Amino acid sequence: MLLVPSISVIEGRTIRLKQGDYSSEKVYDNTPIDVAKQFEDHGISRIHLIDLDGARRGTSVNYDILHMVAAYTDLKVNFTGGIHTDGDVIKSFEYGAESITAASVAVSNKEQFSNWLMSYGREKIALAADSLKGKIRIRGWQKATSKDLFDHIAYFYDRGLKYLKTTDISKDGAMEGPSFDLYKKLLKEFPDLCVFASGGVRGMDDIKKLRDIGLYGVIFGKAFYEGNISLDDIDNYQSVVA
């Protein structure tokens, strides 16, 4: 199972939010590029770079951070936040993204997202389907929808979707553990999906449990920034799975 650290960015700073609440913003001392280099030095091969400004505004903003991480590390960068148009996708790749993850556009223009899967390839385009009480939320989780999580995923699964990142928003940043039952149900319903768990990870025990469930990867953030997952923990995990 892949370990994929997340780096969330607002105005060029490394930030964490709780359950997508921008008023809960916490700023960390290390810059995004410094954090990325730390991860690379400890065996991480890819990161999930979240443009929180872009997610809130509906158009990506922090391309300079994407460019710096891509230029000064060998990390594979999955970029997300405010990607809505073909131009956004092209610009993300031009600035160094290895792949992109989109969420809101898959709700507002599902035909366009489906076209991206065909045009750019299923290795390059991932779906974020984040939910609260089983209903999809978009625009950095600020906007509620009536869309059922499983119905939403099924539409794109039938159209070739390979990579899914999904968060139970009630678990995000709460340090109460991931939604293990949700991930079990997703793997049973969509056996060919490569599912990345995200949200609620408290430490390495949760990561090992997610691995045992059969997930393709786990995206973690707060557990690292708050010191519950150390760089040594990452080292040790990487050496076991290598």
Side-chain angles (χ1 to χ4, degrees):
M1 184 181 73
L2 292 174
L3 289 188
V4 183
S6 66
I7 302 175
S8 300
V9 179
I10 291 180
E11 297 178 351
R13 301 167 299 164
T14 307
I15 300 291
R16 291 301 300 170
L17 305 180
K18 182 177 179 180
Q19 297 177 8
D21 180 4
Y22 283 75
S23 68
S24 72
E25 173 185 312
K26 182 172 183 178
V27 182
Y28 292 91
D29 292 335
N30 290 338
T31 67
I33 185 65
D34 289 337
V35 176
K37 286 181 175 179
Q38 277 188 326
F39 288 136
E40 183 180 35
D41 290 344
H42 290 268
I44 292 295
S45 62
R46 65 185 66 207
I47 61 165
H48 184 60
L49 183 61
I50 307 168
D51 182 349
L52 288 173
D53 294 306
R56 179 163 50 180
R57 298 181 193 180
T59 183
S60 298
V61 174
N62 288 287
Y63 287 111
D64 56 334
I65 301 298
L66 168 61
H67 175 69
M68 289 179 65
V69 173
Y72 291 102
T73 75
D74 291 324
L75 292 165
K76 296 177 180 178
V77 182
N78 175 265
F79 186 60
T80 190
I83 300 173
H84 286 86
T85 68
D86 286 310
D88 295 334
V89 177
I90 292 168
K91 193 170 181 180
S92 298
F93 291 141
E94 287 177 345
Y95 275 76
E98 188 259 348
S99 59
I100 64 100
T101 295
S104 299
V105 69
V107 172
S108 63
N109 193 340
K110 59 186 181 181
E111 290 79 11
Q112 178 162 278
F113 185 82
S114 298
N115 288 337
W116 289 353
L117 288 171
M118 291 185 290
S119 299
Y120 300 102
R122 61 205 296 255
E123 295 291 336
K124 294 287 188 181
I125 306 294
L127 172 68
D130 303 321
S131 63
L132 187 64
K133 297 181 181 179
K135 301 298 182 182
I136 293 290
R137 284 202 168 215
I138 57 174
R139 286 294 178 95
W141 302 347
Q142 302 304 296
K143 184 176 180 180
T145 78
S146 61
K147 287 190 175 291
D148 176 80
L149 172 66
F150 281 76
D151 290 345
H152 184 60
I153 295 169
Y155 180 87
F156 298 108
Y157 183 72
D158 292 340
R159 286 158 178 79
L161 180 70
K162 182 175 181 180
Y163 296 108
L164 169 73
K165 190 277 291 186
T166 186
T167 304
D168 178 346
I169 295 168
S170 70
K171 301 290 187 180
D172 183 73
M175 302 298 286
E176 297 174 353
S179 289
F180 296 110
D181 289 341
L182 170 63
Y183 297 124
K184 289 176 184 176
K185 291 175 184 175
L186 285 168
L187 291 175
K188 183 177 180 181
E189 185 75 16
F190 308 108
D192 295 328
L193 266 187
C194 295
V195 179
F196 287 88
S198 177
V201 172
R202 296 164 292 189
M204 294 308 295
D205 287 344
D206 284 340
I207 285 175
K208 291 170 183 175
K209 189 171 180 180
L210 290 168
R211 177 194 63 197
D212 293 342
I213 288 173
L215 291 176
Y216 183 80
V218 58
I219 296 171
F220 64 95
K222 187 173 183 178
F224 171 77
Y225 297 106
E226 297 293 312
N228 293 332
I229 293 175
S230 68
L231 292 169
D232 285 342
D233 290 332
I234 293 171
D235 270 337
N236 293 334
Y237 181 90
Q238 301 289 69
S239 65
V240 169
V241 299

